[in-house]
Amino acid sequence: MSIDKELREVLHQVADSMHCPPDLYGRVRQSYQHYMNEERGRSPMKKRILVGIVAVAILIPSVALAASYLADDIFGSSTDIEQHGVSQEEYQAIEGMLQAAKGKLKEEEFKEYMELTKQIVQLKLKITDKNGVTHEEKLTKEEQQQFKQLGSKLAPYFDKIKGTAKP
């Protein structure tokens, strides 16, 4: 016989030979009933669910408002770009396009895409007046060449974003 079984049998024999006072049984039963009544009174799962719902209701809108825009990385802020004749709706459309690019491009592709976009936007802002009209003659020959190169480098990314890229 293993030592575990022997120990269990000895403990059972000792426990059977012990006699507890009758009032102890009553106190244990009363304590257990009190505990059970207390547990029935509370519903921790319902409270947790309710707290979770309230937390989600508060956190989701605050996260949406606190999230930085990808367009801010390029333009600085919507107020900066409004000085060049871009409306808030157009700014939101640009943000939507950048979010779509982030979803469709790989991480390193997206970083390169953002860097190229920043460069081309800086050139675009340089030649755009307050009414949103572009004047390409304001660019030097080198800047015009750079503008064309950036456009050709961005073309494959635009194809991937639109879903027209060839494998």
Side-chain angles (χ1 to χ4, degrees):
M1 199 182 303
S2 73
I3 192 155
D4 291 338
K5 288 183 182 179
E6 285 182 39
L7 183 60
R8 190 174 307 153
E9 284 180 19
V10 170
L11 287 175
H12 278 294
Q13 290 172 357
V14 171
D16 289 341
S17 68
M18 292 178 127
H19 294 289
C20 294
D23 63 326
L24 182 62
Y25 287 115
R27 285 189 293 172
V28 169
R29 181 173 295 143
Q30 185 180 13
S31 175
Y32 179 74
Q33 286 177 346
H34 179 70
Y35 171 76
M36 289 305 292
N37 289 338
E38 211 174 90
E39 283 296 310
R40 285 188 200 131
R42 302 188 253 163
S43 55
M45 186 59 79
K46 289 180 185 177
K47 288 180 184 178
R48 287 180 186 159
I49 290 173
L50 183 62
V51 168
I53 290 170
V54 169
V56 167
I58 291 171
L59 289 176
I60 288 179
S62 63
V63 167
L65 292 174
S68 66
Y69 286 104
L70 293 172
D72 286 348
D73 292 342
I74 295 174
F75 302 115
S77 71
S78 61
T79 54
D80 293 344
I81 195 68
E82 285 174 357
Q83 295 172 356
H84 292 280
V86 176
S87 69
Q88 189 65 28
E89 291 80 22
E90 292 170 324
Y91 184 79
Q92 292 298 328
I94 293 169
E95 175 64 24
M97 182 191 70
L98 292 173
Q99 290 291 344
K102 186 175 184 178
K104 292 184 180 182
L105 297 175
K106 296 176 185 167
E107 188 175 338
E108 58 190 52
E109 288 177 327
F110 181 71
K111 285 180 183 177
E112 186 176 347
Y113 170 78
M114 285 294 285
E115 187 58 40
L116 293 172
T117 304
K118 259 186 216 181
Q119 292 173 14
I120 202 165
V121 164
Q122 293 307 316
L123 290 173
K124 241 349 196 171
L125 291 177
K126 189 175 183 178
I127 61 173
T128 305
D129 63 13
K130 292 182 181 181
N131 299 325
V133 179
T134 57
H135 304 280
E136 289 189 25
E137 64 275 1
K138 290 183 178 180
L139 292 175
T140 65
K141 293 274 186 194
E142 295 86 25
E143 290 174 331
Q144 288 177 356
Q145 185 67 23
Q146 183 185 10
F147 190 77
K148 288 178 184 176
Q149 287 176 345
L150 289 170
S152 63
K153 287 180 181 178
L154 281 169
Y157 293 115
F158 287 130
D159 291 341
K160 279 187 176 182
I161 295 166
K162 292 179 183 177
T164 58
K166 296 178 184 174

